[in-house]
Amino acid sequence: MKTMMAPWIEYPELLFGSLGWRMGGGEGYMDMFLDWFYQQNERSLNNFFAQYPPPDEWQGFIDLHLIKMKTGKKSWEL
């Protein structure tokens, strides 16, 4: 599967947490990115982060999804 661009690279104008990630092009890209992200293994994600290191403001988001991957969850059950 082709490597996707990191969201912070694909949409540098959208700050982390901005409304642009929940509406419009940012939302669609984030949906595709997370689908792709959850299909990766540890090696491919290590390569991805070596190529696209997350900015500090994105690190918590990435850490959250890595935890979800390790627990087998794509969303938090209430």
Side-chain angles (χ1 to χ4, degrees):
M1 178 178 270
K2 182 182 174 198
T3 300
M4 291 190 70
M5 295 283 284
W8 51 90
I9 302 295
E10 185 71 18
Y11 287 92
E13 72 280 7
L14 293 179
L15 301 176
F16 175 76
S18 76
L19 190 59
W21 292 113
R22 293 182 294 281
M23 302 178 94
E27 178 185 29
Y29 191 80
M30 185 60 73
D31 289 344
M32 289 186 306
F33 176 77
L34 288 174
D35 285 344
W36 171 85
F37 187 88
Y38 279 95
Q39 294 177 39
Q40 305 311 300
N41 60 33
E42 185 175 359
R43 181 178 172 198
S44 64
L45 286 176
N46 287 339
N47 291 337
F48 174 81
F49 291 126
Q51 185 173 3
Y52 305 113
D56 291 343
E57 62 270 16
W58 282 88
Q59 192 61 56
F61 174 83
I62 295 301
D63 291 344
L64 172 74
H65 285 283
L66 290 171
I67 290 168
K68 286 181 181 183
M69 288 178 81
K70 289 177 182 176
T71 61
K73 297 180 181 179
K74 286 192 179 182
S75 64
W76 297 113
E77 289 88 25
L78 300 177

